[in-house]
Every structure is written in structure tokens, then in C-alpha cells.
Amino acid sequence: MGKKEAIEQVVAKSNASKKKISAIFKPGAKTKPSIFKKAALKSLKKSKAKQEADKSIPAALKDLKKKAELDAVVEASGETVHCRIVSESEGKGKYGKEGMVEVKSLEKDGGEFCQLIGDKHTVVTCKVSSLLVKQDTWLPVKEWQPFSKLSRKSKGEALYMIGLKPEPFASAGDDLMDLPSQDENFDSQHMLLGFELLRWQFKDYLEEVAFIDPYLTTMYLRDEDVPQRELLKKTIQDFGESDSRVLLCPIWSAKTICHWTLLTAERVEGKWSFRYRDTLADPVEDSLKKACSIASLLQKEEVSLKIYNSFQQVGSTCGLWTLAYMMEEACSLFEGLASRGHPNINFLRMKFVAWWHQLSAEKQKLEESKKELEEKAEKISVQQEKAKEKALQQLSKLKSHTSAAAIKAQQMLEANSKYFKLQQLSEASRYKIEGKALKYYWSKE
């Protein structure tokens, strides 16, 4: 082949592939990536390898790495101590927050600001006076129990404590009040139901806490003459002389508006220290006056009170706020102040509604059981009455009352004249019959 024919073949091949002639003769030099492309590919490979390596690292090790980084930051800043923000004046976003604070910051004046470093590198600025050093004796925050763990025994005990448990051969007692809507306020019974919910949830915490029935204080604080007022007064004073570490006393006022507030008494060095909470923007004077009266009765000297809290309610939620503060008071004895943070009223409402439905269903079951037992007892009593009449008829026909037939008839008469014995009654029934229940000393009217 001549030179001319060879060039023509190369040109034809180039046109067919749309490539330059030089690319056909030197394909490796023209198709390999540039230096910049090589660097990009290498970086991409490294990035993918790092991602694969990170996937293989357990989450716990990542958390430890973050903690180590945080500790390094804290150590670099100097000696630190674990603190908690316990003042509501810092706002709901900061109240209850925990973290590390430099010791030298705590030596500042209470009105000055310092920084609290949280677990996730969060930095919170607050006043020095709002901080409390975390104690070794504080317990971890206790989680709420699910209602799947609520036994029938616990439900029966709660109904009994409120005076709503149906008992065979005893009066029916009060009815369970309907659930209050979001626009309605709590009744005294709702407050009792709420406290029993807290008693079930935080039973261990409430062993040193006494709850003063709001019905008791409401009756005592009435303006008009009330029967047994001296008995009511002595009952309240007995709380003051008890061994309880904390007293929880919900205060009900209906003079200007219907409103719940909370009076807490804590024993400090043999004397009562009081905290009064009112969640309205414009505090109710009548409620404060009543709280001062109860506090003076417990302390046996004149007591003046100031509002302790800063948080305020939205809507008719004073009953739920009172429950939330009762829970905070009980938990703070073991978990430290502000262990629950800002009260979650919606969460508490949800728990209260579920609790109400649980007790309502249990009360219905007990009422059905009561009815069944009483109907059964009625049938037995009718049978016994017939047997008694038959025995009397047999005795009247017998001339000798010492014969075997007479003795048998007499035994039948005695056996069927005893419908039940006192010791066969339940404890709650005997409690009511003997008149020991406080509610039965006077009428609600």
C-alpha cells in the first residue's frame, strides 16, 4: 500500500469515530484523566472510606467521643461543679437545666451572670443566684409508670381513699363526677383524684408527705357558722403536730372567681417553712388570705405569705397547675429542686383523663359486684327467714322443750337468726359504720 492510500484510510477512520487523528495514534495520552481529576477521585474515595468507617463505630463510642470533647472544654476553663437552674425567674426554657459551671463563677455576686455548659455543648446564661449545686444524695428522675401496671387493688385503694369505693351492705356513697372540660375548673373530688394519681405514681416519695383534704379546709374557712368548727380546727392543727416532713394543702376560693392555689409547708429545724403558689397573672386576694389563715393555724402564730412561683397559667388550668406543683414538691425531696423542669400541663391532663377512666371502669365493676353480693345475701336471708318461721312453728307444737326435736328446732332458729357478724364485714364497711371517716362527721350541705 502506498503512502497516499494509508493516509486516506486513517482519515476515513477518524471521520467515522469523530476523533482527532492524533487520538487514534495516541489513545492513552488523550483519554486518561487530568491531574485535577485524579485528586478529586482520590478525595472522593477517602470520603467514602471514612463514611464506611463511621458506620462501623457504635453510637455509644460516638457519645463517649462527644463527652470527651466536652470534658476537654470544661477542663480548659478551670475547676467546675455540676449545677441545676432552680429559679422560675429564668424562664421555662432554662428552669431545671443542668450542666457544669466554673467554681470561680459561683463566687460572683448573686445578681451577676454565669454560663452553664450542658451535655450537648449547649451553653445557658443565667444568674448565679438561680443555680444550685447538685447533691450526691439526689436520685435520678423517676419515670411515670404506664397504666398497664395499675392493679385492681391499687384502683380500689384509690376509690376507697376518696370515699367512692362501693362496698357490699354499705351506703352507695358519692358518684364519680364527670371529667372537667378544658374550660371548666376542678372540683374538690377532682383534686382528690389527682392526688391519688400522684400517690400511685410516686408512692415511695409520698411516705413523708401529708395531704390535707381541700374539703376540710374549705369547710373550716367558710364565713358562715359551720357545725363542728372546733373539730375541723383541731384536725388541721393535728397535721401541724404530725411527723410529716411536708404538708400539701390545696386552697379553694370562689369569692370573686373559682380558683385553686397551693400552700406547701416544709419542716425546717422544727418549724414550718411555707411556700404559696398562685398561677394567675392577678393573684386572688381571698386565696392568699385563706392560705395565711391555714399557715397561722399550723404554725400557731401569725404568718404572712408571698407568692413563690413565677410561672402563670393559660385558661382554666389552675387545678392542673396545683397538681403539677404538688408533684414537684414531692419529687424535690428526693430528686432535688426543679428536677421536673417546667410543668407540662398537657401531659398531666392526659394522665389525669386516663386515670379517671381507669377508676370509672373499676367503680362500675365494683358496683356490679356489690349488687350481685347483696342480691345473693337477700336470697339467703329469705331462705333463713323461712327456716326461722318453720323452726318457730315446730317449737310451738312441741310439748317438751328438752326433746331431740326441740333442741334441733332451737339450733335451727339460732342459726338462721344471724344474717352476718361484724367481723365478716370489710374493713371499709366497719370504718364507715363506726363513724371514723372524717367526711361523715358533718354534712356537705
Side-chain angles (χ1 to χ4, degrees):
M1 178 186 297
K3 183 178 179 181
K4 184 178 179 180
E5 289 82 1
I7 292 173
E8 288 177 352
Q9 286 184 2
V10 170
V11 171
K13 186 177 179 182
S14 174
N15 290 335
S17 62
K18 302 297 181 182
K19 292 182 179 181
K20 294 181 179 180
I21 296 175
S22 59
I24 296 173
F25 286 105
K26 297 180 180 179
K30 294 297 181 180
T31 58
K32 67 180 180 180
S34 66
I35 296 174
F36 298 105
K37 287 183 179 179
K38 281 182 179 180
L41 287 172
K42 188 175 181 181
S43 176
L44 181 63
K45 286 181 181 180
K46 285 184 178 180
S47 177
K48 287 183 178 180
K50 187 177 184 302
Q51 288 177 4
E52 292 297 326
D54 286 345
K55 288 180 181 179
S56 63
I57 299 175
L61 291 179
K62 291 182 180 179
D63 292 340
L64 287 174
K65 183 180 178 182
K66 287 182 180 180
K67 187 177 184 303
E69 292 172 354
L70 176 63
D71 292 342
V73 173
V74 170
E75 286 176 7
S77 63
E79 189 179 354
T80 60
V81 64
H82 197 145
C83 294
R84 181 186 292 170
I85 300 175
V86 297
S87 175
E88 290 186 7
S89 62
E90 295 292 341
K92 67 178 184 180
K94 297 181 182 180
Y95 184 67
K97 293 290 185 183
E98 294 185 18
M100 306 306 294
V101 177
E102 291 183 5
V103 173
K104 62 181 181 181
S105 298
L106 297 177
E107 297 172 355
K108 296 179 182 178
D109 183 78
E112 294 188 42
F113 291 89
C114 65
Q115 290 186 332
L116 179 145
I117 303 175
D119 292 338
K120 298 180 179 179
H121 300 275
T122 55
V123 178
V124 179
T125 302
C126 64
K127 288 184 178 180
V128 174
S129 58
S130 300
L131 292 171
L132 184 65
V133 177
K134 190 174 182 180
Q135 306 297 314
D136 294 335
T137 55
W138 288 357
L139 298 177
V141 175
K142 187 176 182 181
E143 299 293 333
W144 277 72
Q145 298 182 72
F147 284 105
S148 58
K149 293 186 178 181
L150 179 59
S151 65
R152 290 199 64 188
K153 180 182 177 183
S154 296
K155 288 185 275 191
E157 288 175 352
L159 288 170
Y160 169 67
M161 293 300 295
I162 306 169
L164 299 178
K165 185 178 181 182
E167 292 283 351
F169 314 111
S171 60
D174 298 333
D175 294 327
L176 183 62
M177 298 187 69
D178 294 336
L179 271 172
S181 66
Q182 292 192 5
D183 297 327
E184 292 178 328
N185 219 322
F186 268 31
D187 187 88
S188 294
Q189 189 189 96
H190 296 135
M191 191 60 68
L192 290 170
L193 280 169
F195 180 75
E196 290 306 317
L197 169 61
L198 299 182
R199 190 198 297 275
W200 174 63
Q201 285 287 343
F202 307 103
K203 187 175 182 179
D204 296 340
Y205 290 3
L206 290 168
E207 289 180 355
E208 299 181 69
V209 177
F211 178 72
I212 301 179
D213 191 329
Y215 176 68
L216 172 65
T217 54
T218 301
M219 288 294 295
Y220 174 74
L221 294 169
R222 278 187 175 179
D223 295 331
E224 64 269 18
D225 291 335
V226 179
Q228 296 92 20
R229 184 182 288 276
E230 287 303 313
L231 175 61
L232 294 169
K233 179 179 179 180
K234 184 179 183 306
T235 305
I236 297 172
Q237 287 177 329
D238 287 344
F239 278 103
E241 296 173 0
S242 67
D243 295 331
S244 301
R245 184 176 170 186
V246 169
L247 303 178
L248 300 176
C249 183
I251 304 293
W252 170 252
S253 174
K255 190 170 184 179
T256 53
I257 60 171
C258 296
H259 186 52
W260 284 103
T261 56
L262 179 65
L263 173 66
T264 303
E266 182 178 8
R267 195 182 294 280
V268 179
E269 297 180 354
K271 291 192 70 176
W272 291 111
S273 173
F274 297 97
R275 291 182 287 276
Y276 175 68
R277 292 179 171 92
D278 187 338
T279 51
L280 280 179
D282 296 321
V284 180
E285 291 184 9
D286 183 60
S287 299
L288 179 59
K289 180 181 176 182
K290 290 180 174 180
C292 288
S293 298
I294 298 299
S296 300
L297 201 59
L298 293 170
Q299 193 75 286
K300 294 184 178 180
E301 62 182 28
E302 197 69 25
V303 175
S304 61
L305 300 170
K306 292 182 180 179
I307 295 176
Y308 182 77
N309 61 292
S310 301
F311 296 143
Q312 295 177 359
Q313 69 187 70
V314 177
S316 300
T317 56
C318 56
L320 288 168
W321 273 96
T322 301
L323 283 181
Y325 277 129
M326 286 198 292
M327 178 177 70
E328 180 173 311
E329 288 286 358
C331 293
S332 65
L333 293 176
F334 300 89
E335 300 171 357
L337 295 175
S339 62
R340 302 276 156 172
H342 182 267
N344 189 337
I345 299 303
N346 291 330
F347 174 81
L348 193 57
R349 186 197 302 278
M350 178 185 68
K351 291 294 183 182
F352 180 82
V353 170
W355 174 251
W356 185 93
H357 283 295
Q358 289 280 346
L359 295 190
S360 178
E362 181 63 19
K363 189 174 188 297
Q364 187 175 355
K365 289 179 183 179
L366 292 173
E367 285 172 347
E368 292 172 356
S369 177
K370 168 184 166 69
K371 183 179 179 181
E372 183 181 340
L373 288 171
E374 289 178 345
E375 287 176 352
K376 185 177 180 180
E378 182 64 26
K379 290 179 182 179
I380 293 173
S381 68
V382 170
Q383 294 172 359
Q384 289 177 328
E385 192 63 34
K386 289 180 179 178
K388 179 182 175 182
E389 291 177 5
K390 183 179 179 181
L392 286 171
Q393 290 175 2
Q394 290 176 350
L395 284 173
S396 64
K397 293 178 182 179
L398 293 171
K399 295 180 180 179
S400 173
H401 291 278
T402 59
S403 63
I407 293 172
K408 184 177 180 181
Q410 186 65 37
Q411 290 174 346
M412 186 181 295
L413 176 64
E414 291 176 358
N416 290 290
S417 296
K418 300 173 183 176
Y419 295 118
F420 64 86
K421 298 178 181 179
L422 183 62
Q423 57 266 32
Q424 292 174 330
L425 289 175
S426 68
E427 182 181 353
S429 297
R430 294 201 304 276
Y431 192 78
K432 291 178 180 179
I433 290 171
E434 293 169 6
K436 291 181 180 177
L438 186 60
K439 289 184 178 181
Y440 296 94
Y441 278 132
W442 58 81
S443 168
K444 287 188 177 183
E445 301 297 330

